[in-house]
Amino acid sequence: MRSCSACFFVLGLATLLCFVNSEILGNKLAFATSAVPALRRFETNRCVLQESSSAFALGTSLVLAPTEASARVQRASNGASSLFMGRAAAVRANKKGKTDAAKAKLYSRYGKMVTMAVKAGGTDPVANVQLGKILEQAKSAGVPKANLENVLKKANSKDTADYKELQMEVYAHGGVGFVIDILTDNNNRAAGDIRTVVNKKNLKLAEPGSVAFNFDRVGLVQVQTDADEDTMTEAAVDAGADDLEPMPADEDGKSNGYNVFTEKADLMAVADGLKEAGYTVTEAAFIWKPKAPMEISEADEELNLEALDMLEELDDVDAVFTNMA
């Protein structure tokens, strides 16, 4: 009897243990089954983060396969992937920075020209014809009136620097050259800053005339107009110009006017003639026009453009001219 009771007890215990083990195993299986989608979601999210990071780092196409198709759909529906918003903003900021720098350069240039004209002939734009023309050009070019008034007030001061016009010539990459127009109150500073760029960009300073002989010194009148080329050509010829060409197109592919070329002695006469004909003249200046623009490799062109940017950023550099095609 005792033996039977013991058997029943052992059998019951074994049954209980089997039940407990089956419950534990079932829970494990259920957990594993539910964890798989979560793990997959984690892995997918991790790939998306990696892909986003790579897209920003490379600035090109997306690199990971798991979400490439969805990224393409997003670009197709939105016009551009949101992953590139940061890069686009950076590009816009860079363009704005360059525009602001160009404006500052323009204002500085006219400030120096006004100062030179005042020191040569006084502050009255009627009696000082050269000053009057410069002020008129500055206004057409968009220089704020307050800037010009401030320069006029300071121009006669003994503390105001005297500016001088100089030129330096440079051999650039690919056999082309630069002619650098300088407007400075400190020759040593200007020359030193230019030498620094020349050395950094692996250029070479040239003797006076060794690069300039590849250029013609001519007058340039810039005209802002929507007139067609035939109409503008007729007006330019009537004013005494030698030649003209449309200004380089802007980002929208539209040219905003024309570059009108003149003999040196005819510059102001042509500018005045075009004004009298009703055209808006934004600039009248002497330039170095290349006689025969040279084709060079893309690598040399890139190096030269970098050097041009650095030179034009210098405060004492008024303009840089090249015979690079």
Side-chain angles (χ1 to χ4, degrees):
M1 186 71 178
R2 290 178 181 176
S3 177
C4 290
S5 298
C7 289
F8 280 116
F9 174 77
V10 171
L11 180 62
L13 181 61
T15 303
L16 178 62
L17 289 175
C18 289
F19 176 77
V20 170
N21 285 336
S22 65
E23 285 295 315
I24 293 173
L25 180 61
N27 288 338
K28 286 183 177 179
L29 289 173
F31 172 78
T33 303
S34 62
V36 168
L39 180 60
R40 285 176 179 168
R41 285 195 297 273
F42 169 76
E43 290 294 329
T44 301
N45 289 337
R46 184 167 63 88
C47 288
V48 172
L49 289 174
Q50 288 177 346
E51 181 180 37
S52 177
S53 176
S54 299
F56 277 118
L58 296 177
T60 54
S61 59
L62 303 179
V63 294
L64 295 181
T67 56
E68 177 66 31
S70 62
R72 286 175 182 163
V73 171
Q74 185 179 7
R75 287 198 294 272
S77 61
N78 296 343
S81 172
S82 61
L83 296 178
F84 290 91
M85 289 177 64
R87 186 169 184 268
V91 170
R92 286 194 296 271
N94 185 46
K95 288 181 180 178
K96 183 179 183 301
K98 288 186 176 181
T99 301
D100 292 343
K103 285 183 179 180
K105 188 79 171 181
L106 179 70
Y107 298 168
S108 175
R109 179 176 183 233
Y110 274 108
K112 294 176 181 179
M113 292 170 64
V114 167
T115 299
M116 292 173 66
V118 168
K119 286 186 175 293
T123 58
D124 183 359
V126 176
N128 187 344
V129 177
Q130 182 66 21
L131 174 63
K133 291 182 181 297
I134 292 172
L135 291 174
E136 192 174 334
Q137 289 177 29
K139 182 180 179 181
S140 298
V143 180
K145 184 178 179 182
N147 289 42
L148 296 173
E149 290 177 348
N150 189 42
V151 172
L152 284 170
K153 289 178 182 178
K154 295 180 179 180
N156 268 335
S157 171
K158 294 180 180 180
D159 297 330
T160 302
D162 292 324
Y163 293 99
K164 296 179 180 179
E165 294 178 289
L166 306 169
Q167 277 85 39
M168 290 182 70
E169 300 173 34
V170 172
Y171 295 117
H173 299 279
V176 300
F178 297 162
V179 178
I180 306 170
D181 276 355
I182 303 164
L183 197 56
T184 182
D185 60 342
N186 188 319
N187 295 0
N188 293 332
R189 181 190 64 217
D193 288 346
I194 290 172
R195 285 194 186 95
T196 298
V197 174
V198 167
N199 293 333
K200 185 173 184 179
K201 305 309 291 184
N202 294 319
L203 310 179
K204 183 180 178 182
L205 288 174
E207 294 294 325
S210 57
V211 171
F213 83 93
N214 293 305
F215 298 76
D216 290 319
R217 188 67 162 167
V218 301
L220 169 68
V221 180
Q222 291 190 323
V223 180
Q224 184 176 350
T225 178
D226 293 328
D228 59 66
E229 191 165 348
D230 289 340
T231 301
M232 190 67 235
T233 299
E234 183 178 354
V237 171
D238 289 344
D242 290 340
D243 195 11
L244 66 77
E245 62 184 23
M247 289 183 185
D250 58 19
E251 293 178 357
D252 298 326
K254 180 181 178 182
S255 175
N256 294 318
Y258 296 87
N259 291 323
V260 179
F261 301 103
T262 77
E263 294 290 335
K264 285 174 62 177
D266 298 333
L267 174 63
M268 297 314 299
V270 172
D272 291 341
L274 289 172
K275 290 176 188 176
E276 291 173 2
Y279 292 95
T280 300
V281 173
T282 57
E283 176 130 19
F286 296 117
I287 66 166
W288 296 94
K289 185 181 180 184
K291 295 177 180 178
M294 294 176 57
E295 295 284 348
I296 60 175
S297 69
E298 290 186 8
D300 285 336
E301 181 181 13
E302 184 66 26
L303 292 172
N304 288 337
L305 290 176
E306 290 176 3
L308 281 169
D309 285 343
M310 291 185 67
L311 288 168
E312 289 175 343
E313 288 174 359
L314 298 176
D315 290 338
D316 293 317
V317 171
D318 186 41
V320 184
F321 304 93
T322 178
N323 58 343
M324 185 171 59

